[in-house]
Amino acid sequence: MNDAKTVLLEQFNNFGIIRRISKYEEKATYQSHYLGLVWQFLNPAIQIGIYYLVFGIGLYQGKEVRGVPYIVWMLIGIITWFFLNSSILGGSNSIYKQIGMVSKMKFPVSILPSVNMASNFVSYRAMMLLLLVTMFGFRVSPTIYWLQYFYYFFCMIAFLFAFGILNSTITILVRDYHIMLQSILRLLFYLSGAIMDFSRLAVFQGKHGWFIHLLELNPLYYIINGFRDSFLSDAWFWEKGTQTIFFWLITGILLIVGSHIHMKFRARFVDFI
């Protein structure tokens, strides 16, 4: 617990550094491109168009999902997924990628996963604006359920930070871990409900219903479906007691274990590389 407290305090005490480094990384990533930061919006927008053609028109044939057009339902999930995926993969490689800077400058390396998350927030913010425009265009009106967005956003940040501390440390110790994580996330893309409402597929009904309940314990599914519950006014988070308790249990374990391993090995990160 002391290690987790130390790591959390380092984030609050170095919030200004996190913002400055993240802004520098944003500019450095796209400085040689003609469109610059526009690619942070354009790249996911192109992917969304492809997924909509394949799943929205091909699989769902333009049908509504949960009472709204598929494009609205999909956007809520896939925008969240883009942020989760880029933050998990970027966070896991954040310390290894910046080890040269870490060895020369004096600041806690535990902030590097947070720096990556902050860098991704620019693209996320732009895509959320697209989502709002799309929802208003299809006459999805705001309700009191929308206030839950802030709760699920906090859940997303808490999970990404806890998972990022663990992943970034393991990646230093075992380089193959980052590649394995990429493969796992490709599978979770379909099992987290980002583009498919698998809970309503016929194959998972009846005697296979237990499999749906198992998938619902996935923290990524909890976050994605939580945003949908908020924007589509389906349910309050306290109505999903088992999933909520399990989510925070997993997040707490990841934070405690990740912080402990991080503090134990971070003095020797350069030696491992």
Side-chain angles (χ1 to χ4, degrees), residues 34-228:
Y34 288 113
L35 296 179
L37 294 177
V38 175
W39 280 110
Q40 289 191 320
F41 174 83
L42 190 58
N43 187 44
I46 293 173
Q47 294 183 61
I48 287 172
I50 295 172
Y51 287 127
Y52 178 70
L53 288 174
V54 174
F55 292 93
I57 297 178
L59 182 63
Y60 285 90
Q61 298 180 350
K63 298 178 182 178
E64 291 189 345
V65 181
R66 298 191 186 183
V68 297
Y70 176 79
I71 184 64
V72 174
W73 184 89
M74 184 193 74
L75 277 175
I76 299 172
I78 204 167
I79 290 171
T80 305
W81 172 262
F82 283 152
F83 185 73
L84 288 168
N85 183 65
S86 59
S87 295
I88 290 174
L89 289 179
S92 70
N93 212 32
S94 57
I95 297 178
Y96 181 86
K97 186 175 67 173
Q98 300 289 359
I99 198 65
M101 181 173 65
V102 170
S103 62
K104 297 175 183 178
M105 301 179 66
K106 292 184 179 180
F107 62 82
V109 294
S110 67
I111 71 171
L112 291 178
S114 297
V115 168
N116 175 263
M117 204 187 312
S119 299
N120 294 328
F121 186 69
V122 175
S123 176
Y124 174 76
R125 187 172 54 195
M127 297 308 296
M128 284 301 296
L129 180 60
L130 172 64
L131 170 62
L132 291 175
V133 171
T134 304
M135 286 196 297
F136 290 140
F138 284 100
R139 298 181 180 179
V140 179
S141 303
T143 67
I144 193 172
Y145 284 90
W146 283 31
L147 293 175
Q148 280 190 129
Y149 170 82
F150 300 102
Y151 164 74
Y152 283 109
F153 182 80
F154 177 74
C155 289
M156 181 169 64
I157 298 302
F159 174 78
L160 287 174
F161 173 72
F163 203 26
I165 286 293
L166 178 65
N167 289 336
S168 60
T169 303
I170 297 179
T171 299
I172 293 290
L173 305 178
V174 183
R175 280 300 296 160
D176 292 344
Y177 178 77
H178 182 72
I179 299 176
M180 182 186 71
L181 190 62
Q182 288 178 314
S183 301
I184 293 175
L185 285 174
R186 290 191 189 101
L187 175 63
L188 288 177
F189 174 61
Y190 298 98
L191 297 182
S192 298
I195 57 174
M196 291 178 59
D197 190 8
F198 56 79
S199 64
R200 305 195 180 191
L201 294 178
V203 69
F204 291 136
Q205 302 301 319
K207 64 179 180 179
H208 298 295
W210 63 269
F211 187 64
I212 294 297
H213 295 304
L214 181 63
L215 292 178
E216 288 176 348
L217 295 178
N218 173 7
L220 302 182
Y221 175 85
Y222 178 79
I223 295 170
I224 291 172
N225 199 54
F227 282 124
R228 287 196 176 117

Side-chain angles (χ1 to χ4, degrees), residues 24-42:
Y24 170 79
E25 286 197 346
E26 291 166 20
K27 295 178 181 179
T29 302
Y30 297 100
Q31 66 178 355
S32 60
H33 299 73
Y34 288 113
L35 296 179
L37 294 177
V38 175
W39 280 110
Q40 289 191 320
F41 174 83
L42 190 58

